[in-house]
Amino acid sequence: MFCYQCEQTDRTTQPDRPNLLALGCAATKGNCGKDATTAALQDVLVEVDLGIGQYAAKLREIGAPDPQYAAHACFDLFTTLTNVNFNATRFMALIADAVGVREKARRAYETAARAAGVEPENLTGAAQFVPATKISEVVGQAAQVGVAVDVETLGADIVGLRNLNLYGLKGVCAYAHHAHVLGYRTDDTDAGIENGLAFLAGGPDDSDALLGHALELGNVNLKVMAMLDAANTGSFGTPVPTPVRITPVAGKAILVSGHDLHDLGKILDATAGTGINVYTHGEMLPAHGYPELHKHSHLVGNYG
């Protein structure tokens, strides 16, 4: 496997692999616990979603955008960014679902193009990629679409710039997904996500274009963060400074990690009056500042 998308990445030297674009987890299992099979399936899932982006961008070009395609890609890319998703069977299901959505997008594009008097383009690359049906075969396909592909021919700089864009897009998609589940989306952010997917699907190999697009993604990210802020404050109120307990309370408890205020709110509603306490963990700490979450007396503190 090869993965270098997080702060846990292996930084030890690998003299037998001098052409790797950077040091990263390259053994049978990453530092986070992710295995080679999961890493490969995640790369294949991304490839299918790049194809979704190709068709979604074409739909937008002819004036028939559809938000469902950016939303689906956001969820998929978010799952690849979260290093606790180690279930190979689940990723096979996600890949199959993504293929179905891509085909739906293809049909929608072809129909809309003909209705507009335009002959549909025959898109190639990720738009036509056909994942195998067996896990072992899909793992083999990852060598042709994974994060290190083309490093031998294009060099570490170009492939690294591609991944700068890919990982930036993954971050954009993660926070866009959090906003989507709260019922918030904007056309600008959908367009930016579709463009990011389609750009990478084209196999860019020009450093100036790659750097320029990374800056464009930065602008998309600002819009996504504004959208997420509106979603969070619109759903849970404007956060205020709030004391947070960091010592345990006796009794049964649920620990909630991550960033998803929507899920935390649902858990708090479901456990109200049951005697079960709820703690946030790590990056969920800011949740205590939101009035509609803090009002629950059984949101008792933060761990870690």
Side-chain angles (χ1 to χ4, degrees):
M1 67 174 284
F2 178 70
C3 179
Y4 69 153
Q5 76 173 6
C6 80
E7 71 281 2
Q8 299 177 45
T9 293
D10 184 0
R11 299 295 178 183
T12 57
T13 58
Q14 299 167 42
D16 58 321
R17 305 187 72 185
N19 292 319
L20 281 180
L21 44 154
L23 295 178
C25 295
T28 56
K29 184 170 287 188
N31 285 342
C32 68
K34 180 166 68 175
D35 59 30
T37 295
T38 300
L41 296 181
Q42 288 180 344
D43 286 345
V44 169
L45 177 61
V46 168
E47 182 73 5
V48 179
D49 277 286
L50 297 185
I52 293 174
Q54 286 177 278
Y55 288 116
K58 287 298 179 182
L59 277 166
R60 185 171 296 277
E61 281 182 17
I62 59 176
D66 190 326
Q68 68 173 298
Y69 301 120
H72 187 94
C74 281
F75 174 75
D76 280 354
L77 265 65
F78 178 35
T79 66
T80 72
L81 195 63
T82 303
N83 284 350
V84 296
N85 289 318
F86 299 143
N87 189 310
T89 302
R90 178 169 183 265
F91 270 99
M92 288 296 289
L94 289 172
I95 290 168
D97 286 346
V99 170
V101 171
R102 186 187 63 189
E103 290 308 294
K104 182 179 181 181
R106 177 186 60 78
R107 292 192 297 269
Y109 162 60
E110 291 174 352
T111 299
R114 293 189 177 105
V118 178
E119 184 62 26
E121 292 182 39
N122 183 29
L123 303 183
T124 58
Q128 299 293 335
F129 175 70
V130 180
T133 57
K134 294 182 180 179
I135 292 176
S136 60
E137 294 174 353
V138 176
V139 169
Q141 290 179 308
Q144 282 72 54
V145 299
V147 294
V149 69
D150 290 337
V151 70
E152 301 289 347
T153 55
L154 297 179
D157 289 345
I158 294 299
V159 175
L161 284 169
R162 285 181 180 177
N163 286 319
L164 174 66
N165 279 272
L166 174 60
Y167 296 150
L169 183 59
K170 286 187 178 190
V172 165
C173 286
Y175 287 108
H177 172 70
H178 287 315
H180 293 163
V181 298
L182 291 171
Y184 285 71
R185 57 162 297 276
T186 70
D187 195 61
D188 273 355
T189 56
D190 285 349
I193 290 162
E194 293 164 4
N195 183 54
L197 294 164
F199 175 76
L200 286 169
D205 59 8
D206 178 80
S207 59
D208 289 339
L210 285 158
L211 284 168
H213 191 267
L215 293 174
E216 288 179 27
L217 273 178
N219 289 326
V220 176
N221 183 61
L222 288 175
K223 294 175 182 178
V224 166
M225 295 305 292
M227 177 176 69
L228 179 58
D229 180 63
N232 287 339
T233 57
S235 301
F236 305 110
T238 301
V240 296
T242 304
V244 181
R245 183 187 182 107
I246 57 173
T247 55
V249 176
K252 296 180 179 180
I254 295 173
L255 183 69
V256 184
S257 192
H259 304 270
D260 199 327
L261 299 184
H262 175 265
D263 281 0
L264 176 61
K266 292 295 184 183
I267 290 169
L268 289 168
D269 289 341
T271 53
T274 64
I276 298 173
N277 293 320
V278 177
Y279 295 83
T280 56
H281 170 260
E283 293 168 327
M284 189 61 85
L285 172 63
H288 292 267
Y290 289 90
E292 290 301 306
L293 299 173
H294 180 70
K295 71 180 183 182
H296 292 275
S297 60
H298 61 303
L299 179 61
V300 295
N302 184 77
Y303 175 81

